[in-house]
Amino acid sequence: MTAPAASPMPTLPVSLAANPALSSWVRFSPEGHAMVSPGKVEIGQGIVTALAQIAADELDIDTGRVQMVRASTTRSPNEGVTSGSLSIQQSGRALRYACAEIRQIFLSAASDRLGVGIDALDISDGIISGPGNVRTSYWELAGEVSLDRDATPGATPKSSTQRTVAGNSVQRLDIPDKVFARPRFIHDQALSGMLHGRVLRPELSAAKLVDLSEGGTRAIAGLVAIVRDGNFVGVVSETEDGAEAAMKALRKAATWSAGETLPDENRLAEWLKAQPAEPAAIDKKTAPQAGEKKRTIRRQYTRPYLAHASIGPSCAMAKWTGDRVHVWTHSQGVYFLRADLALVLKLPVENITVEHMEGAGCYGHNAADDVALDAVLLAKAAAGRPVRVQWSRQDELSHAPFGAAMAIEIEANLDAQGEIVDWRHSIWSNGHTARPGRAAQPALLAATELANPHPRYIATNPPQANGGGADRNSIPLYDFPSWQIECHRLLTMPIRTSALRTLGAQGNVFAIESFIDELASERGEDPIAFRLRHLRDSRAQDVIRSVAKRANWKPDKRAGIGYGVGFARYKNTGAYCAVIAEVEGAEDISVKRLTLAVDVGEAINPDGVINQIEGGAIQATSWVLKERVRFDSQHITSNTWTAYPILRFSEVPDVEVELIRWPDSEPLGAGEAAHGPVTAAIANAVFDALGVRVRDLPITRDSLIAAMESAL
């Protein structure tokens, strides 16, 4: 007789297993609040609100009692970096399990105190009560119940039907401060005795400081210090005006060497393909029974370097006390930043405190980490006073990391009926992450400028198991008989690149979905029918059918108006998103309407999810129609809003989002789901409107003309 299979042992969620101390996640204050301290940070995505909803549900308290504590290396769980649409998946799941166990711990303590069985107790807004009107509370028991213990597997969070907060739209906790101009952003904070710093950097890429004459800088009122360490130069002043004046004087007095040569931006694909690169086989699928090849279609798609273009340039504050330093930053990874600061400063990590403050959201690796090191280096000359460093718009658009340019080549073998029998996808790109804290060398800009410099960190790609980098979303979700996916990561990096929202997914989805449309057009087949025919995932089919129905696919043809569709599942493991774009082609392309259907699994705050999808759709529209880092042979030229335009409010399309609800499934993340499908939908709509296929982003008047000329 065969023994029954053993049930799998319960395990902790990944973030909770890595940070098992319950006290690092939740503690109760005597004033009647639950202090919740996740390791993920608020960067405008609404995570503070969603996590508060999860905690309120599991603890049976009102959301008004939840106080979200900013991430800090002194007290918060180390959840790495806030990125990849993983906050709810990782932090939310960990917090849900931690709170479920904490609830049981307090119920047990209340049972002992009240002399009532646990099953007879109930919790309402933190008040634990039982028969005979006996009662206590979390805050009353907090002094007796220690949460300085590790989480244990086996806690049972509430089912979706038991939740009363998660799954419902609530007002964002962070919005009132922002609407009523109360200091919440790091840019608006003022520490006692605070000084102001600025850093001088060359206009030419990788130029060296040959000579620096202080000139009349010392006579500027309020100047505290001029700091120089190799090619790193900065000033510290009592006032911002004084810091700006000193920096202006130093800039006139500085002599720089020639910089390194940058690529020809008008032949970027050729340059990418010609550089030394590390090839990697991403995925391969073979099908011996595939049909016979009759012809091959090959296309190339490109995207340019993209800037984060945050409305607020990067800012940080730092203060030295003896051999210890405290840093305030809007970095997306406080522990990772601390690790790099320790490498540069040659200090033990326990001597460094890094505390998060909200900044202008960028969704990726902009200059937040770089400016933190700038502030730390300048604060050394401040005699124990804190120093605030603010980058300028020109700094941000010249020296912050960019999203990597990409050249993507796709070819398909077709049989006699035009059906796909083989698919090949090749990518040439710099790596898509050079975030701090990932290597034995620091990735911070100033670290490369010191007298004893660290080498420039060449951006890498996360492994495919973690979502990939340049190869993100390069593996088709469509059921083709066979395919081969490869990626060529450049080993040189004259233009600094790192993580930008979606990493390589935007470029790959743009290429795949454009090529799918081209193949459907070759067959004379409706592009939605073509997609549905090649998909086996029912949830993927659902979002496409839903968006087609909502957008009334396909409206009657009108002159100059076009409609296009795009679809992807982010990272092939995250949220599903399908988009139909309506565009108008006149003097320029304008996007009139975007209709989206999304499946994010469990939606903690449906309104928050819709906000994220809307924001992603609008940002993608800006990337598609406007954005491109410009440069000549020696320096970045797109260092103003005029030279690096973003979408204006008058150009924002109408956006309609349908949220497909799966309350009993795991959350899939929402922040980056829309970008690739929106990009592809707009490009496909342009072809529908004008009969011109633009394969090189952005889609501007110049790129349309170039596409028309190449089609002749």
Side-chain angles (χ1 to χ4, degrees):
M1 185 174 179
T2 304
S7 299
M9 292 293 290
T11 58
L12 294 173
V14 173
S15 275
L16 189 56
N19 306 277
L22 293 173
S23 58
S24 69
W25 294 89
V26 178
R27 57 190 175 86
F28 295 96
S29 72
E31 296 78 25
H33 295 107
M35 317 297 287
V36 176
S37 178
K40 301 294 186 181
V41 302
E42 180 65 57
I43 50 176
Q45 82 281 43
I47 192 66
V48 161
T49 306
L51 293 178
Q53 288 179 261
I54 289 172
D57 246 337
E58 293 302 326
L59 295 173
D60 283 314
I61 59 177
D62 187 88
T63 52
R65 289 193 183 274
V66 180
Q67 291 193 352
M68 301 299 293
V69 180
R70 296 195 306 261
S72 168
T73 55
T74 61
R75 60 178 176 262
S76 303
N78 182 355
E79 292 197 86
V81 66
T82 303
S83 64
S85 297
L86 292 172
S87 293
I88 293 297
Q89 289 172 268
Q90 294 179 348
S91 196
R93 192 160 179 257
L95 185 62
R96 177 170 278 165
Y97 275 73
C99 288
E101 182 165 3
I102 289 168
R103 184 179 187 275
Q104 285 303 117
I105 290 170
F106 274 85
L107 279 173
S108 178
S111 174
D112 291 342
R113 171 182 277 206
L114 301 175
V116 176
I118 288 179
D119 292 342
L121 294 175
D122 184 51
I123 306 178
S124 176
D125 196 20
I127 305 299
I128 306 171
S129 60
N133 204 30
V134 294
R135 62 179 54 208
T136 183
S137 66
Y138 286 123
W139 13 97
E140 197 173 287
L141 293 169
E144 303 172 17
V145 177
S146 174
L147 294 179
D148 291 328
R149 62 175 84 180
D150 286 354
T152 56
T156 305
K158 294 180 179 179
S159 67
S160 62
T161 57
Q162 294 173 307
R163 298 172 195 146
T164 59
V165 185
N168 294 292
S169 296
V170 302
Q171 291 185 346
R172 287 263 299 262
L173 302 181
D174 57 318
I175 295 299
D177 285 349
K178 296 169 182 177
V179 169
F180 295 108
R182 292 190 285 263
R184 189 175 183 104
F185 290 118
I186 189 171
H187 307 74
D188 303 318
Q189 303 295 325
L191 301 177
S192 177
M194 188 172 73
L195 300 171
H196 298 271
R198 294 291 186 272
V199 173
L200 175 66
R201 291 198 160 91
E203 292 185 4
L204 304 182
S205 175
K208 306 297 183 185
L209 186 60
V210 175
D211 184 58
L212 182 68
S213 169
E214 294 183 4
T217 308
R218 294 287 180 184
I220 293 174
L223 183 68
V224 174
I226 297 173
V227 177
R228 180 176 179 184
D229 185 344
N231 292 307
F232 178 82
V233 179
V235 298
V236 180
S237 172
E238 294 283 352
T239 65
E240 279 201 274
D241 287 345
E244 291 285 353
M247 186 52 54
K248 185 176 180 181
L250 282 183
R251 190 173 298 282
K252 289 182 179 179
T255 303
W256 300 90
S257 70
E260 62 185 344
T261 302
L262 301 184
D264 182 346
E265 71 161 302
N266 295 312
R267 304 180 67 180
L268 202 48
E270 295 174 41
W271 180 85
L272 289 169
K273 290 183 172 183
Q275 300 311 297
E278 175 186 71
I282 303 304
D283 197 55
K284 187 173 184 178
K285 175 183 175 183
T286 58
Q289 303 303 317
E292 181 182 354
K293 179 186 81 169
K294 290 299 183 182
R295 62 193 179 108
T296 300
I297 295 180
R298 180 184 299 110
R299 299 287 186 265
Q300 177 178 278
Y301 305 87
T302 69
R303 83 159 196 179
Y305 293 99
L306 293 172
H308 291 89
S310 302
I311 296 297
S314 296
C315 180
M317 298 179 290
K319 178 181 178 180
W320 284 86
T321 305
D323 62 350
R324 295 181 177 272
V325 62
H326 193 136
V327 180
W328 294 265
T329 173
H330 55 112
S331 168
Q332 291 175 217
V334 292
Y335 280 94
F336 283 160
L337 173 57
R338 183 180 71 164
D340 264 22
L341 292 175
L343 288 174
V344 176
L345 302 172
K346 297 181 172 58
L347 283 177
V349 291
E350 56 267 23
N351 284 28
I352 303 170
T353 297
V354 180
E355 183 175 339
H356 183 263
M357 283 187 173
E358 288 183 50
C362 77
Y363 302 106
H365 179 197
N366 70 344
D369 298 289
D370 294 323
V371 74
L373 178 55
D374 289 351
V376 168
L377 295 175
L378 295 186
K380 268 195 163 184
R385 295 172 67 182
V387 174
R388 174 186 180 275
V389 178
Q390 169 78 63
W391 274 28
S392 68
R393 173 64 49 204
Q394 182 172 345
D395 290 334
E396 194 81 19
L397 289 174
S398 299
H399 301 297
F402 298 125
M406 302 175 70
I408 301 161
E409 196 173 272
I410 304 181
E411 60 181 13
N413 294 337
L414 307 179
D415 64 15
Q417 289 73 44
E419 297 286 3
I420 300 165
V421 296
D422 188 41
W423 176 281
R424 292 175 296 282
H425 184 124
S426 300
I427 307 153
W428 290 265
S429 176
N430 276 112
H432 282 246
T433 185
R435 288 186 183 275
R438 308 293 182 89
Q441 70 180 70
L444 304 172
L445 181 58
T448 68
E449 300 170 331
L450 302 175
N452 294 311
H454 294 268
R456 180 189 297 178
Y457 183 82
I458 303 298
T460 59
N461 287 314
Q464 184 64 215
N466 292 344
D471 53 308
R472 182 166 292 181
N473 274 97
S474 60
I475 302 172
L477 204 64
Y478 299 104
D479 189 25
F480 302 142
S482 64
W483 61 58
Q484 183 172 321
I485 317 295
E486 62 182 23
C487 181
H488 305 266
R489 180 180 71 90
L490 272 61
L491 300 177
T492 183
M493 196 175 70
I495 293 177
R496 188 178 178 216
T497 68
S498 191
L500 175 73
R501 200 174 190 184
T502 81
L503 279 64
Q506 188 238 3
N508 286 312
V509 174
F510 161 60
I512 291 170
E513 290 293 292
S514 294
F515 195 52
I516 287 288
D517 251 46
E518 296 198 47
L519 295 177
S521 180
E522 284 269 332
R523 288 177 49 83
E525 186 173 355
D526 178 84
I528 285 183
F530 187 87
R531 285 168 170 81
L532 291 172
R533 191 163 60 83
H534 286 89
L535 284 168
R536 298 294 176 265
D537 186 330
S538 61
R539 289 171 73 170
Q541 294 173 337
D542 284 348
V543 294
I544 292 175
R545 290 193 177 105
S546 294
V547 80
K549 182 178 180 181
R550 183 168 285 265
N552 190 29
W553 180 268
K554 182 181 183 185
D556 293 337
K557 183 69 177 174
R558 291 181 289 157
I561 303 295
Y563 302 89
V565 62
F567 160 77
R569 183 181 186 189
Y570 185 52
K571 294 187 285 191
N572 285 13
T573 59
Y576 299 83
C577 180
V579 181
I580 289 176
E582 177 187 333
V583 308
E584 182 176 8
E587 291 187 8
D588 291 295
I589 296 296
S590 62
V591 179
K592 311 306 289 185
R593 180 180 297 276
L594 294 170
T595 307
L596 302 94
V598 294
D599 169 359
V600 300
E602 181 195 359
I604 305 299
N605 185 348
D607 183 60
V609 170
I610 291 170
N611 290 341
Q612 277 289 279
I613 297 299
E614 288 175 343
I618 293 167
Q619 184 178 42
T621 303
S622 184
W623 287 356
V624 173
L625 299 184
K626 299 274 187 180
E627 298 187 40
R628 176 188 182 188
V629 174
R630 310 305 300 266
F631 46 91
D632 58 23
S633 62
Q634 289 191 300
H635 67 295
I636 305 298
T637 58
S638 53
N639 56 16
T640 65
W641 285 130
T642 301
Y644 191 90
I646 62 176
L647 204 68
R648 295 175 178 270
F649 281 107
S650 60
E651 298 168 314
V652 170
D654 291 333
V655 181
E656 185 178 354
V657 179
E658 179 174 340
L659 183 58
I660 299 173
R661 308 290 288 272
W662 289 84
D664 292 316
S665 69
E666 292 289 342
L668 298 176
E672 296 164 304
H675 292 70
V678 166
T679 300
I682 293 172
N684 292 334
V686 168
F687 176 76
D688 186 56
L690 303 177
V692 178
R693 177 66 64 180
V694 180
R695 303 186 183 94
D696 302 303
L697 297 176
I699 302 176
T700 61
R701 194 179 312 178
D702 289 344
S703 65
L704 281 166
I705 292 170
M708 290 175 183
E709 291 175 346
S710 67
L712 295 177

